[in-house]
Amino acid sequence: MNQNKIIGKDHQFVWHPFTHLNYAETPIHIVKGEGVYFFDNEGNPLIDAISSWWVNLHGHCHPYVSRKVSEQLNTLEHAIFSGFTHEPAVILAERLIGHLPENQSKIFYSDNGSTAVEVALKMVLQYWHNQGLNKRKFIAFENAYHGDTFGGMSVGARNVFNNAFENLLFDVIHIPLPNSENMDDLINTIKTWIYHHHDIAGFIFEPLVQGAAGMFMFEAEYLDRLISLFRENKILCIADEVMTGFGRTGEFFASNYLTHKPDIICLSKGLTGGYMPLGVTSCAQFIYDAYKSDDKTKTFFHGHSYTANPLSCAAALASLDLMEKSETWNQIRLISESHAQFVKKHQFHEKLNDIRCKGTIVALELKTSEHTHYLNNASESIASFFIKKGIIIRPLGNVLYLIPPYCITLAQLNEIYTAIEEFLAQL
Ligand SMILES: *Cc1c(COP(=O)(O)O)cnc(C)c1O
């Protein structure tokens, strides 16, 4: 079908996510993906510097992952997952448990990041409920993003994205990100809360990097102190690793940087290498045990039609095969080191408020008169500057960031850095 027809029909029939209906620019029509590149309808290559909404790990249409998924397509495409099981889901659970922190022992499947979070929240609430305890409050970080379902929105930041639903969201205690200056005060404030409120059920956080907020980064050391305090007080800790999982921060999971391990971990995005939707909520044995009872009302009544879809599990297994190769880790190191050099080079750049990196993620905060937020007008013009240079970068407000697929080469990274330098020079 010709280009005008596709765009015309897109306009007529499709409602895109996070897209302003009046001011949106014409969407770019992607026809093919290969390695680090997308190709548009005119055959122009575009470097995917953001891993296609942070999901892709090994490049688009990776021959190995594609083959494994297509093999699975000829064997089993879907199976009801209550009362039935299948090999890809079982083996994937075993292998994930092998990579997750030692205290994790059970895998609960769903089908995206928001559901992985939703499952975690419900798992915590019912953990207490099953023991006859009325603990319902969650603690979360300011600026957090945990997905677009009601539970995810509730524990996330209150902002323009969820204004319309504000009074339907449940009450959450939001705390600032810890740093060297506020740490002691924060600990004291939390201790006071814990002393006065006996209804705190859990603490949810994005470990080390808050993605959607604008790639805000904080130290493992401080998070560790918080987790330790919460665990001492029997408050369950949920690490939302939907974005940080699978090597993004330079370790397999961001939780690997922590001494005190979370009780529950949420995974999605990179889980399938960016191929298929799949969500995982893993938990420690004691949480699972609180659901083991002759009393049927203690069952965890939660499931999705596409829970543990075999095609998704096959993609995740193939992606894990690649994650276990030393070549992949060499690439992760190469990207991390090259980001670190880029950060060092521009540490004091006059056009930047801040430049920071963690593993394969680098973020530049532009100086702007407007406040940092997503509706900042700057972001669309920034995106189009880079598209003209054949690079896909979509800023979060005034925060420009890279989170590339691991197959990216040094030459391609340098091409992106140069484009960023040109962009900064013309500001
Ligand atoms: C993207 C994201 C989610 C939501 O995942 P979806 O698959 O988009 O629903 C939740 N938590 C974090 C940290 C994320 O980055």
Side-chain angles (χ1 to χ4, degrees):
M1 208 180 286
N2 85 33
Q3 172 67 2
N4 288 342
K5 265 203 172 140
I6 291 284
I7 297 302
K9 284 181 192 287
D10 178 282
H11 190 67
Q12 192 177 355
F13 298 114
V14 183
W15 190 346
H16 287 269
F18 294 108
T19 303
H20 195 290
L21 300 187
N22 281 0
Y23 299 114
E25 298 193 357
T26 307
I28 295 166
H29 177 190
I30 300 295
V31 293
K32 186 178 150 72
E34 191 182 327
V36 79
Y37 292 107
F38 275 139
F39 293 88
D40 71 10
N41 56 296
E42 288 169 348
N44 299 313
L46 296 166
I47 297 184
D48 180 6
I50 53 166
S51 294
S52 193
W53 250 355
W54 318 349
V55 299
N56 188 286
L57 293 187
H58 313 291
H60 293 283
C61 294
H62 191 285
Y64 178 73
V65 185
S66 295
R67 177 162 59 83
K68 289 294 190 180
V69 173
S70 69
E71 282 170 14
Q72 184 60 41
L73 261 173
N74 297 319
T75 323
L76 179 68
E77 89 301 352
H78 183 276
I80 172 175
F81 207 62
S82 179
F84 297 83
T85 195
H86 53 81
E87 187 170 319
V90 174
I91 303 301
L92 178 60
E94 180 188 26
R95 287 179 63 187
L96 285 174
I97 290 298
H99 284 287
L100 284 160
E102 250 175 39
N103 67 338
Q104 298 299 295
S105 71
K106 287 285 187 291
I107 296 290
F108 191 98
Y109 286 109
S110 61
D111 51 22
N112 64 73
S114 302
T115 56
V117 167
E118 216 61 36
V119 165
L121 299 174
K122 287 176 69 175
M123 209 180 248
V124 165
L125 293 173
Q126 197 180 336
Y127 168 84
W128 295 116
H129 178 84
N130 281 359
Q131 299 171 74
L133 292 166
N134 186 26
K135 295 195 185 213
R136 299 157 157 266
K137 266 245 153 71
F138 282 98
I139 296 180
F141 282 129
E142 287 167 3
N143 298 311
Y145 180 74
H146 296 291
D148 288 340
T149 49
F150 268 84
M153 283 194 292
S154 294
V155 288
R158 301 301 152 86
N159 54 29
V160 62
F161 296 102
N162 48 47
N163 265 348
F165 319 106
E166 199 177 356
N167 47 18
L168 295 171
L169 304 180
F170 59 75
D171 253 1
V172 167
I173 301 170
H174 282 103
I175 59 173
L177 280 192
N179 57 45
S180 60
E181 274 145 43
N182 69 4
M183 191 69 218
D184 293 332
D185 283 347
L186 193 54
I187 293 273
N188 287 333
T189 312
I190 294 169
K191 279 186 179 161
T192 317
W193 275 328
I194 295 173
Y195 185 77
H196 289 291
H197 302 278
H198 302 283
D199 60 345
I200 302 175
F203 166 51
I204 182 166
F205 55 91
E206 296 160 89
L208 307 202
V209 186
Q210 285 189 309
M215 301 296 169
F216 292 170
M217 298 175 186
F218 61 110
E219 299 296 320
E221 180 194 335
Y222 306 124
L223 181 57
D224 241 330
R225 280 182 65 192
L226 291 178
I227 297 175
S228 157
L229 173 64
F230 287 129
R231 298 192 73 190
E232 274 168 32
N233 289 281
K234 297 204 163 45
I235 291 166
L236 300 187
C237 294
I238 306 168
D240 177 354
E241 293 235 23
V242 168
M243 190 278 286
T244 52
F246 303 96
R248 295 292 188 198
T249 65
E251 284 281 343
F252 209 108
F253 296 110
S255 298
N256 295 13
Y257 290 100
L258 300 169
T259 314
H260 300 278
K261 303 301 181 190
D263 304 298
I264 293 180
I265 297 179
C266 306
L267 306 173
S268 188
K269 291 202 167 117
L271 172 59
T272 62
Y275 263 66
M276 313 276 300
L278 186 65
V280 152
T281 309
S282 71
C283 71
Q285 186 67 34
F286 74 92
I287 295 177
Y288 180 80
D289 288 344
Y291 289 82
K292 272 166 100 178
S293 166
D294 292 335
D295 178 353
K296 285 193 173 168
T297 66
K298 296 196 171 169
T299 308
F300 191 46
F301 292 109
H302 188 109
H304 300 276
S305 315
Y306 283 85
T307 289
N309 176 263
L311 298 171
S312 303
C313 292
L317 283 168
S319 176
L320 264 190
D321 289 342
L322 299 177
M323 281 306 297
E324 287 168 2
K325 284 188 183 299
S326 58
E327 291 93 316
T328 304
W329 288 96
N330 291 340
Q331 278 297 110
I332 289 173
R333 264 189 297 277
L334 177 98
I335 298 166
S336 306
E337 282 161 16
S338 114
H339 281 349
Q341 276 174 24
F342 184 64
V343 166
K344 203 167 163 202
K345 181 173 172 195
H346 296 296
Q347 215 172 353
F348 305 109
H349 199 292
E350 52 170 7
K351 308 275 174 64
L352 298 177
N353 269 337
D354 188 38
I355 177 166
R356 51 187 177 260
C357 65
K358 183 78 201 168
T360 68
I361 307 168
V362 65
L364 298 82
E365 210 172 290
L366 307 176
K367 274 190 188 151
T368 141
S369 49
E370 294 174 76
H371 287 297
T372 309
H373 75 70
Y374 203 93
L375 300 185
N376 200 320
N377 296 331
S379 59
E380 269 173 31
S381 60
I382 299 173
S384 67
F385 177 95
F386 287 99
I387 284 291
K388 287 189 195 112
K389 296 195 174 290
I391 300 165
I392 298 179
I393 288 181
R394 287 171 58 90
L396 297 156
N398 66 334
V399 178
L400 202 156
Y401 67 91
L402 308 176
I403 179 168
Y406 303 148
C407 63
I408 199 163
T409 63
L410 202 51
Q412 289 158 343
L413 273 175
N414 285 329
E415 186 182 333
I416 300 172
Y417 297 148
T418 305
I420 292 176
E421 283 161 358
E422 285 168 11
F423 170 76
L424 293 176
Q426 54 89 59
L427 274 183

